[in-house]
Amino acid sequence: MSSPATGVAIIGAGLSGLTLALALHRQNIPCVLYESREASLDIGGAIMLSPNALKILDALGVYKNISPLGHNFEKLYFHSDDDKPVDDFVFGSQEKHGYKALRIYRFELINVLVSMVREAGIPVEYQKKFDHIVSESSTSVTWAFADGSTASAKLLVGADGIHSRVRKHLYPDLTPKFTNMIGVTAAVPRAQLQADPNYPLPVTIMSPKHAKAPSARARPRWMGRAAEQQGLVHRFSARRQRRLPPIVANAVSNIPLKGINLWPFYLVPKLDTWAQGRVVILGDAAHAIPPTAGQGVNQAFEDVYTFAGIVAKVQQQKPSDDEKEDAARIGKALKNWQQGRQARVDRVLDLNDKVNKRRLPDAVKAGVFEPFDLDWLYDVDFDKMIAEWAA
Ligand SMILES: Cc1cc2nc3c(=O)[nH]c(=O)nc-3n(C[C@H](O)[C@H](O)[C@H](O)COP(=O)(O)OP(=O)(O)OC[C@H]3O[C@@H](n4cnc5c(N)ncnc54)[C@H](O)[C@@H]3O)c2cc1C
């Protein structure tokens, strides 16, 4: 059965979808969330938030609820394999950028967002898997769920992650490419590190060696099997036998199997458009940003805040009698939004390249690094951007 066209329908109640719901609610735009799972996807581990995203979360009332739950810090530290300082990277600064960076468990952030969405009275329908677009008119879009039901809205936003189903409407043949690289992360209690209280954290201790990743074909089976994950834990622990800095040896000395997270790296090519008619994609669905500069979800938060701002601005403009003219107006504003957002994502990709180069063994050996300009990333006026794109 089809329900009547609501304001904005959001596919995916992950970090992008939940935050988008709060951003739209703040602009008095009605929205509904549809999530394929029983609960929002929590792939485990922690994420790091930088001032550009924290400014947005502050405006949405989220920051005050999450700041006490995580580790507030200013710099990421990089050490050599014998635990000597090599480089650092400013991830936040109270004094310079208004916010310290925040490292927080993903489940804590999701829990806060879910409870704020609930308090705002925004409907969330779980176990509703988007399947395909059925039709579009000059005023609404209608789609089908995997269970055969349909629904309609004025706008449909795919916030359904890197393997986005909504993106298939815009790019039917696009499939994300597995890079044969997997990040393996695990959380252990800080006490287990037995580190000096002044030891700088968060730290990355860089190994000059690269581990071999399983083949793309083998990956899904390999990732799913508990026995294989157990093997992975043993491999880590075996490294203790070699000469590793004590902090690393301690960290891997006892990894609970349940605490292991596997993060396969996929690539999505740069997309020409994130909006077609009344269907829009954002967050990981629109741009899968490699993890080097830690900007994946930070950029997703920029997408959702500016998207909600653009929709609100267009709605505030005087409506015309002609539906086609109104549709063209939102189409033009969304094009400006996407181009402006893509320009920032491109700069982040460029920053990723620069950071990657600094991590190469020769660069580490030389120990001479060009300073970064991060002001453009952290000190940004989103409301000004929105006003320009909507004008
Ligand atoms: C280990 C790890 C560490 C990371 N650390 C950082 C970090 O420090 N900083 C940073 O900025 N980024 C980080 N990232 C990247 C960040 O996690 C992603 O950018 C972010 O999760 C993207 O959010 P999203 O909501 O767009 O997508 P997702 O988190 O993938 O959420 C998509 C949601 O849509 C739902 N869904 C999917 N398909 C459908 C469908 N057909 N119908 C309905 N619902 C559907 C899913 O169930 C899910 O709930 C990290 C990622 C990983 C894996």
Side-chain angles (χ1 to χ4, degrees):
M1 233 186 69
S2 193
S3 39
T6 57
V8 178
I10 304 167
I11 303 296
L15 293 175
S16 299
L18 291 165
T19 313
L20 174 59
L22 293 177
L24 290 168
H25 182 75
R26 178 173 173 263
Q27 302 281 6
N28 295 318
I29 299 170
C31 61
V32 186
L33 277 152
Y34 298 98
E35 166 59 50
S36 59
R37 296 163 194 265
E38 283 177 3
S40 302
L41 173 66
D42 171 18
I43 51 170
I47 51 171
M48 295 188 291
L49 303 173
S50 50
N52 46 326
L54 293 173
K55 183 186 281 189
I56 287 169
L57 295 177
D58 205 2
L60 300 179
V62 179
Y63 179 64
K64 62 177 188 309
N65 296 332
I66 58 171
S67 167
L69 302 177
H71 172 58
N72 295 273
F73 67 98
E74 303 219 325
K75 279 182 181 173
L76 297 172
Y77 296 92
F78 293 86
H79 284 193
S80 58
D81 58 343
D82 55 355
D83 206 8
K84 300 274 183 313
V86 170
D87 192 15
D88 57 45
F89 183 88
V90 173
F91 213 75
S93 162
Q94 186 77 50
E95 198 185 341
K96 191 159 184 232
H97 304 298
Y99 299 89
K100 286 186 172 190
L102 177 66
R103 185 172 170 86
I104 181 168
Y105 279 120
R106 186 182 291 263
F107 78 87
E108 302 256 37
L109 179 54
I110 289 177
N111 284 350
V112 168
L113 292 173
V114 166
S115 61
M116 289 185 68
V117 162
R118 198 177 297 135
E119 274 163 32
I122 301 165
V124 187
E125 291 197 31
Y126 291 100
Q127 294 184 293
K128 285 301 256 185
K129 184 173 184 179
F130 168 88
D131 194 69
H132 65 276
I133 300 290
V134 175
S135 62
E136 253 187 271
S137 73
S138 58
T139 53
S140 71
V141 50
T142 300
W143 65 94
F145 293 103
D147 62 11
S149 61
T150 61
S152 302
K154 284 185 184 156
L155 279 175
L156 177 79
V157 180
D160 51 346
I162 192 161
H163 300 286
S164 170
R165 180 87 195 166
V166 177
R167 192 178 55 218
K168 286 269 169 214
H169 179 66
L170 284 78
Y171 299 93
D173 301 325
L174 195 157
T175 308
K177 194 169 172 284
F178 181 49
T179 57
N180 277 10
M181 286 193 281
I182 295 177
V184 184
T185 66
V188 296
R190 187 175 173 148
Q192 184 178 318
L193 306 181
Q194 295 175 37
D196 182 289
N198 296 323
Y199 189 91
L201 289 173
V203 67
T204 301
I205 299 179
M206 299 179 291
S207 163
K209 294 202 180 74
H210 295 276
K212 198 166 166 282
S215 74
R217 263 186 77 217
R219 185 199 61 82
R221 206 159 41 94
W222 180 85
M223 283 185 63
R225 286 218 306 250
E228 301 288 0
Q229 293 193 11
Q230 181 82 59
L232 209 87
V233 172
H234 285 313
R235 251 174 80 187
F236 276 134
S237 306
R239 291 185 177 203
R240 291 180 69 208
Q241 317 301 329
R242 299 179 212 153
R243 263 181 251 122
L244 287 173
I247 194 167
V248 183
N250 292 338
V252 299
S253 64
N254 180 19
I255 303 177
L257 193 56
K258 267 182 115 181
I260 287 215
N261 298 298
L262 300 175
W263 180 6
F265 296 148
Y266 283 90
L267 287 180
V268 174
K270 184 167 160 178
L271 304 177
D272 295 337
T273 181
W274 302 355
Q276 184 179 299
R278 295 182 171 270
V279 182
V280 181
I281 49 173
L282 47 69
D284 273 16
H287 47 69
I289 298 174
T292 322
Q295 279 295 314
V297 80
N298 288 291
Q299 288 305 305
F301 289 149
E302 290 195 13
D303 288 351
V304 305
Y305 184 83
T306 51
F307 173 81
I310 284 283
V311 175
K313 279 266 185 280
V314 173
Q315 286 198 353
Q316 283 155 16
Q317 290 164 4
K318 200 170 153 282
S320 99
D321 295 335
D322 183 351
E323 281 169 358
K324 277 197 185 142
E325 201 176 295
D326 282 343
R329 192 187 287 166
I330 183 80
K332 175 83 174 59
L334 287 179
K335 190 79 207 159
N336 291 346
W337 164 76
Q338 184 225 325
Q339 284 170 350
R341 289 294 309 125
Q342 184 67 58
R344 266 181 77 76
V345 169
D346 287 346
R347 286 190 83 173
V348 168
L349 295 175
D350 185 49
L351 176 64
N352 272 352
D353 281 348
K354 287 189 178 134
V355 178
N356 278 335
K357 284 191 185 125
R358 288 162 84 116
R359 304 286 166 259
L360 293 174
D362 284 351
V364 171
K365 213 166 151 194
V368 185
F369 304 112
E370 265 180 55
F372 285 121
D373 167 24
L374 293 168
D375 295 356
W376 65 269
L377 181 59
Y378 299 150
D379 302 332
V380 51
D381 186 342
F382 294 112
D383 293 324
K384 192 168 157 224
M385 276 181 177
I386 292 167
E388 281 168 14
W389 297 338

